[in-house]
Amino acid sequence: MACRISELVIDCADPERLAVFWSEVLGYVELGREDDGSIEIGPPGAGFGGPQPTLVLSPSGDPRTGKLRLHIDVNPTDRDQDAELERLLALGAKPVDVGQTGTEGWHVLADPEGNEFCLLRARIRPV
């Protein structure tokens, strides 16, 4: 038997803001809130334990230092990469330079708090 990723926890200064951003990016909905200010978002109708991991946005006052050691990759599901890039930028994502050459098949972006993520080229079917 193996494990499966069920949640990804992101420490952040403003869980509300990131919950809204990532819900729009992924088509997720709010699943719940904890007394510590954490907000969990996930796929509508599936939630925790479904085929996709949920995201837990956890409040933290700790400053981020350096490049993230883990980042999220996303793929468009209903449009091409260029159209999805426009949508993500309109939601508040920003392009980030982490040393890419410009010939990559992906775009490096940052969410509203500067957490890097990549928009890959391949369109995949929604779950």
Side-chain angles (χ1 to χ4, degrees):
M1 176 160 260
C3 291
R4 184 164 64 94
I5 296 173
S6 57
E7 297 177 328
L8 298 172
V9 179
I10 301 173
D11 289 347
C12 56
D14 187 347
E16 188 76 42
R17 182 177 182 200
L18 283 193
V20 169
F21 175 80
W22 282 108
S23 289
E24 287 292 323
V25 169
L26 300 171
Y28 278 15
V29 296
E30 184 176 313
L31 300 175
R33 293 174 181 248
E34 297 294 326
D35 291 340
D36 70 354
S38 295
I39 302 172
E40 184 171 18
I41 62 172
F48 178 81
Q52 298 169 280
T54 62
L55 293 181
V56 177
L57 296 309
S58 181
S60 174
D62 296 337
R64 189 179 123 197
T65 58
K67 183 178 178 244
L68 294 175
R69 295 187 73 170
L70 176 71
H71 69 267
I72 297 172
D73 287 345
V74 298
N75 291 72
T77 59
D78 62 353
R79 60 194 62 140
D80 66 22
Q81 184 188 42
D82 290 339
E84 184 62 2
L85 177 61
E86 285 183 35
R87 186 181 83 86
L88 296 177
L89 294 172
L91 290 174
K94 303 279 188 235
V96 177
D97 182 357
V98 294
Q100 58 270 44
T101 65
T103 62
E104 295 82 7
W106 62 86
H107 295 277
V108 182
L109 303 168
D111 70 16
E113 288 200 8
N115 300 304
E116 295 94 358
F117 68 99
C118 293
L119 171 62
L120 305 182
R121 179 177 295 150
R123 185 185 304 186
I124 59 174
R125 292 188 334 208
V127 175

